[in-house]
């Protein structure tokens, strides 16, 4: 059986778990999205950098290719005739270091040195060649040891004649191939199997560092490529992730708070009660009341039971107070009225057999109880009189005397349930003019003891007799208690001595077999009798 504290804790724990789960999911989703976004952005930066580096080198080589057609006629002419035009062309193309003319494999004219007579193969072992060549090497003539890019263009079928253009590629690389940290650590220009690394000059192998990624961009117009080396995009994204955490935490806390507000209705006991009402999970029970003198059943008290398929059996001592706290006691009362009214055939059709239904003090507000009785009870035109048993868990608000008057005019009798406990006071007697006082079972259990409650029981009985109010004792479990209450003028008795709460459909069978010691002696069965 569940307790109120356990139920409240269960729902609160569920809400906390849901809200925390949503907050954590939001945090993970936000950081995950930021991580993926940052990683993709890093990859795009490296891709764009690589493409831009290739395009930059291509932009350097395009003017050289356009100028070579103007140099073809100069090959074979005397150096003194072409030396001037070579220098002019070199000056015009600022990226060039020198232009060299080759005839029969011999370097015979240079834009820098003028007339020369050297074998080209001694200067560049791979030249001359019948095919165009692009070589990345070190300069051995002008700036010895510096990096130079040589472009060989043959002008004869055998490749012994041609034009050699030399670029100061190391200087240009410093200007246009600078790494973009932190995304790019190394930029390398590749020509054949020779490499030019930014800041290091010509190297024979690519730089290799553990944990770095390599990306290569190949030119579609010239025989070179650019290799870009840097940290993986996911590593950079992880490194930048702590900077995104404050915003992600704020967003996750906001989502968690919104979820807490949103689940207030969906994940609360009020939602569970509404769900139980909609699914008709509540079952109507009754417990008989017997006349203290002749032991005949004079009526029943309607009770509510809830076997929740999600939580198990929930005691009325648990869900009734919680329903009052959640302002759902009125819907529960309407449910009881409607269900009981639809099953009146289980009870004797007699004006001397009453039906008692518990109502909360809050239901009296603005005469709501009168409206609900008209709709759910009197619309069925019951023959049995109705007793409203006012529970005392909450203080009774100021009651409009017209509400009490209307109830009496409808023939409804008022009873104060559990009198002497809760919020009851003598002011209730004047305010409500009750017809019945129900003695709480704690006082009944104290009969025959020296406890204070035993004395209070006698005081309540004396008060009811003095005011001519019928008395009903709850929780009667022994014959000694019944005899004590009968001697002191208690009108009716209710408790396990006579019957436990039972479903309505079981009441007719109980009524037929109800044991009555006096009737057994007399051999007669008495009809239902009023309280007095």
């Amino acid at each position: 059986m569940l307790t109120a504290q356990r139920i409240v804790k269960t729902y609160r724990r569920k809400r906390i778990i849901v809200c925390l789960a949503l907050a954590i999911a939001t945090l993970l989703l936000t950081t995950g999205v930021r991580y993926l976004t940052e990683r993709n952005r890093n990859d795009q930066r490296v891709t764009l950098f690589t493409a831009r580096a290739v395009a930059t080198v291509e932009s350097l080589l395009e003017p050289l290719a356009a100028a070579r057609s103007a140099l073809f006629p100069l090959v074979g002419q005397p150096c003194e005739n072409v030396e001037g035009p070579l220098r002019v062309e070199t000056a015009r193309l600022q990226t060039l270091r020198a232009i060299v003319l080759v005839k029969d494999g011999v370097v015979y004219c240079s834009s820098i040195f003028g007339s020369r007579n050297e074998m080209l193969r001694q200067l560049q072992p791979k030249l001359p060649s019948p095919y165009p060549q692009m070589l990345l090497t070190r300069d051995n003539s002008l700036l010895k040891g510096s990096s130079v890019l040589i472009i060989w263009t043959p002008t004869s079928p055998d490749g012994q004649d041609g034009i050699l253009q030399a670029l100061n590629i190391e200087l240009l690389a410093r200007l246009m191939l600078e790494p973009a940290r932190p995304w790019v650590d190394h930029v390398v220009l590749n020509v054949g199997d020779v490499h030019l690394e930014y800041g290091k000059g010509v190297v024979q192998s690519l730089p290799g560092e553990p944990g770095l990624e390599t990306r290569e961009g190949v030119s579609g117009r010239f025989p070179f490529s650019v290799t870009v080396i840097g940290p993986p995009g996911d590593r950079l994204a992880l490194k930048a992730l702590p900077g995104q955490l404050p915003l992600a935490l704020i967003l996750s806390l906001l989502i968690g708070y919104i979820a807490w507000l949103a689940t207030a209705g969906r994940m609360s006991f009020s939602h569970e009660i509404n769900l139980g009402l909609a699914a008709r999970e509540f079952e109507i029970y009754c417990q008989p009341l017997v006349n203290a003198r002749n032991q005949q059943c004079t009526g029943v008290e309607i009770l509510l039971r809830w076997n929740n398929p999600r939580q198990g059996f929930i005691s009325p001592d648990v869900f009734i107070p919680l329903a009052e706290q959640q302002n759902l006691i009125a819907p529960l009362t309407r449910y009881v009225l409607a269900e009981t009214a639809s099953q009146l055939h289980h009870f004797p059709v007699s004006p001397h057999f009453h039906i008692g239904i518990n109502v909360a003090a809050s239901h009296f507000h603005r005469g709501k109880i009168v409206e609900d009785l008209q709709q759910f009870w009197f619309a069925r035109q019951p023959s049995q009189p109705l007793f409203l048993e006012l529970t005392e868990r909450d203080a009774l608000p100021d009651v409009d005397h017209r509400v009490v008057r209307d109830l009496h005019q409808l023939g409804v009798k008022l009873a104060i349930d559990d009198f002497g406990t809760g919020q009851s006071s003598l002011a209730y007697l004047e305010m409500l003019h009750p017809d019945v006082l129900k003695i709480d079972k704690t006082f009944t259990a104290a009969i025959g003891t020296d406890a204070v409650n035993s004395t209070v029981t006698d005081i309540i009985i004396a008060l009811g007799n003095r005011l001519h109010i019928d008395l009903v004792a709850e929780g009667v479990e022994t014959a000694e208690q019944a005899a004590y209450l009968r001697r002191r003028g208690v009108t009716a008795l209710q408790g396990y001595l006579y019957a436990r709460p039972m479903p309505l459909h079981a009441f007719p069978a109980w009524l037929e077999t109800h044991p009555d010691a006096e009737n057994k002696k007399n051999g007669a069965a008495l009809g239902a009798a009023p309280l007095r």
Side-chain angles (χ1 to χ4, degrees), residues 173-226:
R174 291 176 184 172
L175 298 176
M176 289 174 284
L177 298 180
E178 181 180 0
R181 292 183 173 86
W183 307 286
V184 178
D185 290 341
H186 305 277
V187 183
V188 181
L189 175 65
N190 310 300
V191 179
D193 56 356
V194 184
H195 315 282
L196 174 66
E197 183 180 356
Y198 174 85
K200 294 185 178 180
V202 174
V203 294
Q204 296 302 317
S205 61
L206 290 172
E209 294 183 21
L212 297 183
E213 285 186 346
T214 298
R215 187 168 301 185
E216 187 173 23
V218 180
S219 173
R221 303 175 61 185
F222 300 97
F224 76 89
S225 65
V226 174

Side-chain angles (χ1 to χ4, degrees), residues 209-252:
E209 294 183 21
L212 297 183
E213 285 186 346
T214 298
R215 187 168 301 185
E216 187 173 23
V218 180
S219 173
R221 303 175 61 185
F222 300 97
F224 76 89
S225 65
V226 174
T227 298
V228 174
I229 303 174
D234 53 359
R235 184 195 300 176
L236 292 175
L238 286 174
K239 189 176 180 180
L241 203 56
Q244 309 295 333
L245 283 180
L247 180 61
L249 285 173
I250 292 174
L251 182 60
S252 63

Side-chain angles (χ1 to χ4, degrees), residues 286-290 297-301 493-495 498-502 507 510:
C286 67
Q287 187 174 26
L289 283 75
V290 300
C297 181
T298 59
V300 293
E301 178 184 359
L493 307 176
Q494 178 183 357
Y498 306 102
R500 290 177 177 271
M502 65 189 74
F507 179 75
W510 175 88

Side-chain angles (χ1 to χ4, degrees), residues 3-263:
T3 64
Q5 293 82 1
R6 180 180 171 188
I7 287 180
V8 171
K9 287 181 179 179
T10 298
Y11 281 98
R12 185 178 292 116
R13 183 166 57 249
K14 287 182 178 179
R15 285 184 69 193
I16 291 174
I17 291 174
V18 169
C19 294
L20 283 178
L22 286 176
I24 293 173
T26 301
L27 179 63
L28 295 177
L29 181 62
T30 303
T31 53
V33 169
R34 293 299 301 172
Y35 166 78
L36 293 176
T37 302
E38 190 66 21
R39 187 189 66 179
N40 293 337
R41 186 179 299 168
N42 293 334
D43 292 340
Q44 292 173 2
R45 286 171 176 152
V46 175
T47 300
L48 182 61
F49 180 88
T50 304
R52 188 182 296 119
V54 171
T56 300
V57 177
E58 287 180 342
S59 66
L60 296 177
L61 300 178
E62 286 175 355
L64 302 182
R68 282 195 290 272
S69 59
L71 298 175
F72 287 167
L74 303 181
V75 178
Q77 295 187 29
C79 187
E80 58 269 17
N81 295 337
V82 299
E83 183 179 352
L86 290 179
R87 291 175 177 172
V88 171
E89 189 68 20
T90 302
R92 187 179 69 83
L93 299 173
Q94 298 179 2
T95 57
L96 279 176
R97 179 184 295 184
I99 299 176
V100 177
L101 301 182
V102 178
K103 181 66 176 177
D104 296 327
V106 177
V107 176
Y108 77 95
C109 190
S110 170
S111 61
I112 297 178
F113 299 107
S115 296
R116 298 187 67 181
N117 187 16
E118 294 180 86
M119 295 300 295
L120 179 58
R121 191 168 300 276
Q122 293 179 350
L123 299 176
Q124 295 295 333
K126 295 182 180 181
L127 299 177
S129 169
Y131 307 103
Q133 296 279 346
M134 181 181 291
L135 303 175
L136 187 59
T137 184
R138 296 184 183 275
D139 190 3
N140 297 321
S141 57
L142 183 60
L143 298 176
K144 293 185 179 182
S146 62
S147 302
V148 62
L149 181 65
I150 295 176
I151 300 175
W152 164 255
T153 306
T155 58
S156 63
D158 59 0
Q160 295 300 308
D161 301 342
I163 302 169
L164 191 148
Q165 297 170 299
L167 286 81
N168 189 2
I169 193 64
E170 185 173 351
L171 177 61
L172 296 174
R174 291 176 184 172
L175 298 176
M176 289 174 284
L177 298 180
E178 181 180 0
R181 292 183 173 86
W183 307 286
V184 178
D185 290 341
H186 305 277
V187 183
V188 181
L189 175 65
N190 310 300
V191 179
D193 56 356
V194 184
H195 315 282
L196 174 66
E197 183 180 356
Y198 174 85
K200 294 185 178 180
V202 174
V203 294
Q204 296 302 317
S205 61
L206 290 172
E209 294 183 21
L212 297 183
E213 285 186 346
T214 298
R215 187 168 301 185
E216 187 173 23
V218 180
S219 173
R221 303 175 61 185
F222 300 97
F224 76 89
S225 65
V226 174
T227 298
V228 174
I229 303 174
D234 53 359
R235 184 195 300 176
L236 292 175
L238 286 174
K239 189 176 180 180
L241 203 56
Q244 309 295 333
L245 283 180
L247 180 61
L249 285 173
I250 292 174
L251 182 60
S252 63
L253 290 175
L254 179 61
I255 294 297
Y257 177 69
I258 293 174
W260 179 263
L261 296 179
T263 56

